Amino acid sequence: MKIEFKELYAVHYKPVVRFFARNGVPEERQKDLASETFLRAYRGFPDFRGDAKPSTWLFRIARHVLYNARRDNQAAKRRGEEVSLEAAQEDGKQFSYDGVYKGLAGNSSDPLQSILETEKAALLTKALADLPNQMRYCVELRLQGLKYREIAAVQKISVETVKAHLFQARKRLKELLGEYFEQIEFGGES
Amino acid sequence: MSDSKSPKLPFPEAVRALSEEERRDLPFVPTEDALVAYQAGELSDEAADQVRRYLAIDPEAARFVADLDQFLHDVEDKSLHLSDHETAQGLRALQREPGGGSSPGGSWFFKAAAAVFLVTTVVSVLWGMQQRGHGDVFAGGMSITMLDDLEPQNGNTRGPKRGQKVGVPQGDRDFALVFPLEPRLDQVVVVRGDGVVVDDALDVRYSVDLSCQTVRLLTANYPAGQYILRLLGSANRRNGEKPQILKEYPFEVVYVSETR
């Protein structure tokens, strides 16, 4: 299917702006990033052979623009804050999932405490494994910060099914793990 | 028996930590193309199940699919389409942008000019590089080196050879390496060498139109010495498999005292 750039622009401009808005780009930057997206698309359009759908092709460009903008932002912050090597390493520890996991399972200096933490990790693993796959995926996606509608899109199920899964999972997990874990909640923004 | 009186752990963080651990052990990592195909419902049931499992434990991949789904939904919404007037106005503004040029689909000259513009932008605007007149040494702002052992698609990027010395002015905080590779979700960039290297300091950038990845490194982490930047493929950790080295870029950092 042959598509004109003008048509591509008309159909996709607002969705691109909304994409940036959904991803936390401040309003005053959304149009700039949309312009950058279409500028890249404009340059690449002659080589676009239609192997992918135009919408998907444009989405991927927008996503790369978002990535680069975020990284520029982080780099600017780094430059402004004069981050030392030690501080960078410290930050790495603070945000490392690996570090959280070690903290969760056996990284304590107290041997008894370490055993108990390891046991908690095992309990959690088993409790999650015992959930039906779809229910478990809904829990994991919810804890990644996805909204009900987004979970439904990712798992290709209805929003109502997502809600039902999360309700059931919360009930089961609280029964099994309530003594050992806190914040077993999946509520908040839908 | 567990002691229920020990401090309770936050459930969300614990689950995320386990997911991360599981993600690292999975032999299967979908590419962006696979995620697009999954969203479009074009995968076999078995492949779709694999992707579904992966999405539950990789926030970035899940966000990709969720965003793509919402984007395509918005594209279908006719109330979000621009009017002819808005479109004409937007396209005029686009053509006034640097590199906007003439109509798309124009001559190779336009493409070459756009590529030169982008390379110039990368070099002079983003990192403010100014090259001095003697060989490898750069000074002023941040330095940049381009590794040209692989020919970039546009044919316009060129730079120092493999293993070349990278001159970094004292006091500069970072420099950049540019190398032409298509990034994939399962590939990892690391730097190993004489100094203490913090992989978190790697700033991997993605570029669609130049098919280049830029990796920016904080020079504060790189004392003078020999280094190798490696692009690693995926590995099955559960089987004790080491990641495959896909590309290696040796380089040497040399600090110079003169700054502009």
Side-chain angles (χ1 to χ4, degrees), chain B residues 38-58:
Chain B
Y38 170 81
Q39 192 283 331
E42 293 167 354
L43 295 181
S44 66
D45 288 350
E46 190 186 350
D49 281 345
Q50 278 189 309
V51 172
R52 199 172 284 118
R53 174 66 200 127
Y54 185 81
L55 291 172
I57 54 178
D58 184 339

Side-chain angles (χ1 to χ4, degrees), chain A residues 17-188:
Chain A
V17 171
R18 284 166 69 112
F19 163 74
F20 290 123
R22 272 197 308 278
N23 278 280
V25 175
E27 199 176 343
E28 65 273 16
R29 286 279 289 144
Q30 290 163 14
K31 289 186 178 175
D32 289 344
L33 294 188
S35 291
E36 194 180 332
T37 302
F38 282 100
L39 198 59
R40 286 181 179 216
Y42 190 77
R43 290 177 192 134
F45 197 67
D47 296 327
F48 176 63
R49 297 189 303 271
D51 295 341
K53 289 176 186 167
S55 300
T56 309
W57 176 69
L58 199 61
F59 169 78
R60 289 168 82 161
I61 295 175
R63 193 163 170 276
H64 285 291
V65 167
L66 177 69
Y67 264 53
N68 285 350
R70 281 181 177 162
R71 289 178 187 280
D72 284 344
N73 201 25
Q74 285 167 358
K77 278 184 185 170
R78 274 195 200 121
R79 283 196 296 275
E81 290 169 4
E82 292 290 320
V83 181
S84 69
L85 174 61
E86 289 74 15
Q89 285 173 320
E90 205 52 48
D91 281 353
K93 281 178 190 166
Q94 192 177 341
F95 294 110
S96 158
Y97 281 131
D98 204 24
V100 173
Y101 184 76
K102 281 173 185 161
L104 179 73
N107 201 31
S108 166
S109 55
D110 177 349
L112 178 61
Q113 187 67 17
S114 174
I115 291 165
L116 293 176
E117 300 306 305
T118 305
E119 191 177 345
K120 281 182 188 174
L123 280 170
L124 177 65
T125 305
K126 184 172 185 322
L128 287 172
D130 285 347
L131 294 178
N133 281 346
Q134 202 174 70
M135 190 181 288
R136 176 182 183 175
Y137 300 163
C138 287
V139 170
E140 289 170 324
L141 287 166
R142 185 66 176 164
L143 294 178
Q144 286 175 21
L146 269 67
K147 296 175 181 174
Y148 293 151
R149 194 203 162 279
E150 292 171 328
I151 297 170
V154 168
Q155 287 297 312
K156 298 187 175 295
I157 54 181
S158 72
V159 172
E160 292 312 311
T161 305
V162 172
K163 287 180 183 173
H165 277 324
L166 291 176
F167 178 79
Q168 287 295 330
R170 176 179 164 277
K171 205 171 147 190
R172 285 199 204 183
L173 293 170
K174 270 205 162 180
E175 278 172 19
L176 292 169
L177 304 171
E179 273 186 73
Y180 314 103
F181 292 89
E182 56 186 6
Q183 301 166 28
I184 306 178
E185 299 292 340
F186 314 121

Side-chain angles (χ1 to χ4, degrees), chain B residues 69-104:
Chain B
D69 187 82
Q70 183 61 53
F71 181 76
L72 296 178
H73 189 263
D74 286 350
V75 168
E76 293 296 314
D77 183 349
K78 287 197 166 57
S79 72
L80 294 176
H81 295 179
L82 296 180
S83 67
D84 287 349
H85 175 69
E86 288 171 319
T87 304
Q89 214 172 19
L91 287 175
R92 273 199 299 276
L94 201 61
Q95 283 173 342
R96 283 197 296 271
E97 294 275 346
S102 56
S103 64

